[in-house]
Structure formats: structure tokens, C-alpha cells
Amino acid sequence: RPVAFRGSLLFFAIADLSQIDPMYQYSLQMFTGLFRNAILKSEHPEDPNDVAKRIDLLNDFFTYMLYQNICRSLFEKDKLLFSFTLVIKVLQGDGKVDDTTWRFLLSAQAPKIRDCGMSKPTEPGTEWITNQMWSELVTMSEGLAAFDGFLESFVAHAAEWQKLFGSETANEDPLPDGYSDRLSMLDHMCVIRCLRPDKIIECVQTFVSAHFGQRFIEPPPFDIEQSFGDSNLSTPLIFVLTSGSDPTKDFLTFADAGGRKVSAISLGQGQGPLAESLIEQGTSRGSWVLLQNCHLAASWMMKLEQIVEELDPATVHKDFRLWLTSMPSKAFPVSV
């Protein structure tokens, strides 16, 4: 059950990525395939009867394996967000994330549980406190349990807080009046969100590293050989294109080095039947098929989805692989 529970948390973490980009959609078939590989490849404890150790090893191995695989399909700007999402989902599953604190970190909103009754200070030396900053500090102090009395302390130690506000290392510096020792890492991030939102990325990196390790903030470079090694004949491999990028040369070089025969076609109007023919030949002969620019054949994507769903490992040649390239498109099928 602990392994299944961790797996469910991780699956919903990757399912949420579709809210960022329509191409960030991952099928349950892909997920379960990775999970099976993790069971086979993960380390076993010295004592075969040590079930608890085996569970820990499998959970750690699969979590990082999933991180590596998903990172390959993400744009660089989204990789740290994915790491943060993984950590938060796991901590939420363990009951270690306060929902109100998490909501405030995301939106600067929180239900009011106390009334601080304080106005923005106007004394000399407090001009650096902006209206937006004060508004968020009030919401945080009135809505989050860990910040009872925070506003009073903030005003009393305004000069110290100003130093933090102007620091180049605000995300690392200790908080005035001993608040570094009183607050959790997530609470600390809420403070930085109010004072120095430009430092949140560094805070997220520290948070992820503290809970999952440094390797989860160092995305692996794209490795087409490793991607192929983790693939199977019934799940296509997809290159998500950006303007000016073309992985075709690298792909063909990799295929040629492995002695693979490749049939390629650039999709567009009327190319669907030819693509179907190439896939049929590939599944019987064990060749690779490259379908380029799938975003230009949106109307054919449902047919592609049907073809992929009908790929049967019992009848398809074991060396067959289907490779796709596409710009981000909402028409791209989830199951593919």
C-alpha cells in the first residue's frame, strides 16, 4: 500500500502539468510502464525480508526515475516547478503541508482567523514598505496560524526587516526577532513572497533540495539513448518542438548509429493514409517510423490515437518504435 499511495501522488502530480501546457499530458499506460521498469531496476535490500527497506528503495528510485523521464518532455522554464510540485504532493500525502499556508503561497489569499487591527506604518524609515507588501503581510498575519503577533514584531523591528528587504541574499538571511527558528520552510517562503518575490525561485530550489536532494533541482540533459532505453513498442516517443528547433538530425544520427531503418514523413493535409501505411510496415518489419509536425494534422490525431491504442506487444515486432514531433497543440491525444 505505501508504494501504491506514493504512485498515486506522483501520477496526479504529472496530471496537473497539463494546466501549464497542453502537451504536458501523460497516459496511465506510460506511467505504469515506468513503474514496472522501476520494480525491475530498483535496488534490493541485503535482507530480502526487510520489506520496509525495499519499499523505501523502490519509492526513492521510482520518484527520481519519473522525474528524469518527465523532465525530458518539459521546457526548461517548467522543470523547477515540476520538482516543487512533486515535493509538495508527497508532503501533502504525508500530512506535512498546511493547506492554508500553501494557498497563501500561491495566491496571497487566506481566510481571516484573527484581526490585527493595524494600519500601515508611516513613521520615518518605513517608506520602503509598499502598500502591496503591507496588504500581503496583513493577510498572512491574520490568516496563518504561525504568524500570530507577526505584524507587531514586524513594525517593532522595521529597521532589521529593511536590511533583509535590501539584501542580495534575502532568501538565505535569518529573519529578524528569531522568526527563522519559529517558522517552517513553507512559512519562511510566505514571508519572502511578501517582501522579496524575486527571491522565490531560490527559495523553491532550497526547499526541493532539502526534502528530495540536490539532484531534483539539476535536470538531466536530454539523452536520446536513455529515452529510447526507457521506451517500448506500444508507446510513441515525442519531440515537443519550439521555434527554431529541429531534432531530426540528432534522431537520424542516433538511428544510423544503431543500424535502424527509419521511415519518415512530414504530416499535413492528405498524408494520413501514407502515415498509416508506414506504421503498418514498421510494426511487421521492426523498423522505426518518424511522423513529423503532428500539429499540422490535427484532424488525423484521433486516428493516430486509435492506432497507438491497438498496438499489441504480442503481434508487433519487438524492434518497432514510433517517433513523433509536434509543436504544442491542444489537439494532441493524451493516450499518445
Side-chain angles (χ1 to χ4, degrees), residues 48 63 65 71 113 165 175 195-196 233 248-249 270 276-277 281 286 302 308 318 323:
T63 301
M65 184 183 191
C71 268
I113 60 175
F165 173 73
L175 302 181
L195 300 179
R196 290 290 302 274
L233 58 85
T248 304
K249 181 178 179 181
E276 291 179 47
S277 176
Q281 294 175 25
M302 290 185 65
V308 170
K318 63 181 180 62
W323 302 75

Side-chain angles (χ1 to χ4, degrees), residues 13 15 38 42 45 57 108 125 179 188 247 289 305 318 323:
S42 59
L57 290 171
Y179 267 94
H188 186 279
V289 177
E305 181 177 24
K318 63 181 180 62
W323 302 75

Side-chain angles (χ1 to χ4, degrees), residues 6-267:
R6 169 65 72 91
S8 67
L9 294 174
L10 298 179
F11 180 75
F12 286 112
I14 65 174
D16 288 344
L17 291 173
S18 62
Q19 300 177 41
I20 300 174
D21 191 288
M23 292 300 288
Y24 295 166
Q25 301 191 55
Y26 308 92
S27 67
L28 182 59
Q29 180 184 9
M30 180 279 298
F31 184 84
T32 53
L34 283 179
F35 186 71
R36 292 191 190 99
N37 283 341
I39 292 175
L40 297 174
K41 296 179 180 180
S42 59
E43 182 183 354
H44 289 256
E46 292 183 4
D47 181 0
N49 296 318
D50 191 345
V51 178
K53 181 66 174 177
R54 170 60 174 154
I55 288 173
D56 288 342
L57 290 171
L58 179 56
N59 278 340
D60 289 346
F61 183 88
F62 179 59
T63 301
Y64 186 61
M65 184 183 191
L66 181 71
Y67 167 74
Q68 288 181 301
N69 275 268
I70 298 301
C71 268
R72 295 179 195 143
S73 65
L74 302 181
F75 296 121
E76 199 65 33
K77 65 182 179 64
D78 298 323
K79 292 181 180 180
L80 180 60
L81 178 59
F82 174 54
S83 297
F84 190 40
T85 301
L86 282 181
V87 176
I88 290 294
K89 284 290 187 184
V90 171
L91 293 180
Q92 284 176 328
D94 293 339
K96 296 180 180 179
V97 173
D98 178 74
D99 290 340
T100 304
T101 303
W102 177 235
R103 177 185 174 188
F104 178 83
L105 183 63
L106 294 178
S107 65
Q109 300 295 319
K112 191 173 181 179
I113 60 175
R114 66 176 72 90
D115 189 352
C116 295
M118 296 182 65
S119 301
K120 179 177 175 292
T122 57
E123 295 82 0
T126 61
E127 299 85 358
W128 60 277
I129 304 174
T130 66
N131 290 333
Q132 180 177 347
M133 183 193 302
W134 180 256
S135 175
E136 292 184 1
L137 288 171
V138 169
T139 301
M140 182 178 71
S141 301
E142 294 183 339
L144 305 187
F147 291 92
D148 188 14
F150 178 82
L151 273 189
E152 292 83 355
S153 173
F154 181 83
V155 173
H157 299 84
E160 296 175 54
W161 284 103
Q162 184 179 11
K163 291 179 182 179
L164 181 75
F165 173 73
S167 173
E168 287 297 319
T169 55
N171 56 296
E172 300 174 354
D173 296 344
L175 302 181
D177 198 20
Y179 267 94
S180 290
D181 299 326
R182 304 186 215 174
L183 302 178
S184 68
M185 292 188 73
L186 214 57
D187 292 328
H188 186 279
M189 290 174 66
C190 290
V191 175
I192 298 301
R193 186 199 195 287
C194 297
L195 300 179
R196 290 290 302 274
D198 60 306
K199 290 294 183 179
I200 279 294
I201 290 180
E202 286 92 334
C203 286
V204 170
Q205 290 174 328
T206 301
F207 185 86
V208 172
S209 180
H211 288 90
F212 273 20
Q214 184 74 13
R215 61 182 180 169
F216 279 85
I217 60 172
E218 298 175 347
F222 177 70
D223 186 335
I224 191 171
E225 184 174 356
Q226 187 176 3
S227 298
F228 170 69
D230 291 334
S231 70
N232 60 66
L233 58 85
S234 57
T235 303
L237 295 98
I238 306 169
F239 294 105
V240 181
L241 305 175
T242 56
S243 299
S245 69
D246 186 1
T248 304
K249 181 178 179 181
D250 291 337
F251 165 74
L252 293 176
T253 300
F254 173 69
D256 185 62
R260 307 288 183 175
K261 181 180 179 182
V262 178
S263 299
I265 182 175
S266 181
L267 293 180

